[in-house]
Amino acid sequence: NLNAVQLVATAFARAPAPLPGAEVIERTTHTLTALLDDLTALARLEAGRELRVIGDFDVEALLRELCTAMQPLAAERQLVLSLELSALHVSGDAVKVRRIAQNLILNGLKFTERGGVHVTAGPAQIGAVDSWQLTVADTGVGINERASPAITRLLRAATREDEAQARSSFAPVHTLPSESSHTPGSASGEGVGLIIVKRLCELLDATIHIESTQGSGTTFRIMFPRAYPASAAPRP
């Protein structure tokens, strides 16, 4: 039903004589579609219906392709999307790694007014474990100002009980991402996207670290295993 409304709204908005309000309806349906996609993905993750599919892939090629695809969005917001990548081949779930990076980059672009988003990736070491690190840093308003400290508590929750407590104080606000309604600090569905990142990190045995300063930006650092035991069964 939502797709039908979106098709009609798009046709009205692009007609030779656009109907009043058609562009607003079109933007709203796009926003709702994206939100429903996120909620569906989150529901699958929380129901244990997503599996970890391991294979070899080139991190540099994956992130370069992703950022190239997202350059038009950065240009539209007059922001810089930059890369600093090392040649890196790993074993992991390329589709889910791409979703993590995409959500974090979109989050950074959405809440940055000046400057941009910088993406880095390279080898890392956690004790005796070979790992690799993905970093997405923005120069935006900072996570505490743009939403609520509860988001940070949610992402850092060590257990489901801690997470339930964090969720109880977090109510995401969904606003239309238009020039007239967007203001620095508004939370446009950010909580859902970041919870998906957290769930995907759990599925991939990855850890997430957050550094955020109000008015200066936010940095997400994700540490992934560079390989998984060959005998490990797919994780639900």
Side-chain angles (χ1 to χ4, degrees):
N1 291 336
L2 183 58
N3 286 335
V5 172
Q6 185 172 318
L7 287 172
V8 173
T10 299
F12 284 157
R14 299 179 183 178
L19 294 180
E23 291 185 2
V24 174
I25 296 173
E26 183 184 21
R27 288 198 303 269
T28 302
T29 53
H30 277 294
T31 301
L32 288 173
T33 299
L35 178 58
L36 286 174
D37 288 344
D38 278 349
L39 290 173
T40 301
L42 180 58
R44 288 180 58 85
L45 284 164
E46 296 198 330
R49 296 181 62 189
E50 288 288 345
L51 298 178
R52 191 169 69 188
V53 182
I54 303 303
D56 295 335
F57 68 96
D58 184 335
V59 174
E60 180 183 11
L62 183 150
L63 293 177
R64 196 171 297 282
E65 182 275 331
L66 173 62
C67 289
T68 298
M70 299 181 77
Q71 286 293 349
L73 177 60
E76 181 183 337
R77 292 187 51 78
Q78 298 183 332
L79 299 172
V80 175
L81 176 55
S82 58
L83 290 165
E84 186 178 341
L85 305 174
S86 301
L88 183 63
H89 288 79
V90 303
S91 178
D93 191 322
V95 172
K96 293 177 179 60
V97 168
R98 190 183 193 280
R99 180 65 185 272
I100 289 171
Q102 176 179 285
N103 279 19
L104 293 178
I105 294 169
L106 283 172
N107 189 75
L109 291 174
K110 185 186 298 183
F111 294 101
T112 300
E113 297 294 317
R114 293 180 297 275
V117 176
H118 187 57
V119 180
T120 63
Q125 194 80 15
I126 303 179
V129 179
D130 285 334
S131 306
W132 67 276
Q133 178 174 285
L134 166 68
T135 302
V136 179
D138 65 59
T139 57
V141 296
I143 198 169
N144 290 331
E145 180 181 341
R146 69 190 178 201
S148 162
I151 290 181
T152 304
R153 292 198 300 272
L154 180 63
L155 289 167
R156 291 174 176 167
T159 67
R160 290 300 177 97
E161 289 75 17
D162 293 338
E163 186 171 301
Q165 184 176 1
R167 277 178 183 268
S168 67
S169 60
F170 169 55
V173 178
H174 304 293
T175 57
L176 182 67
S178 64
E179 292 183 2
S180 60
S181 65
H182 178 76
T183 56
S186 63
S188 181
E190 175 190 16
V192 176
L194 293 185
I195 295 170
I196 290 173
V197 168
K198 183 175 188 289
R199 285 285 177 265
L200 290 173
C201 286
E202 292 171 352
L203 185 63
L204 300 181
D205 294 338
T207 59
I208 180 169
H209 302 275
I210 311 163
E211 297 175 7
S212 185
T213 304
Q214 291 188 11
S216 298
T218 300
T219 299
F220 290 90
R221 290 187 175 88
I222 315 289
M223 298 291 289
F224 297 92
R226 193 157 181 173
Y228 294 83
S231 60
R235 285 189 51 185

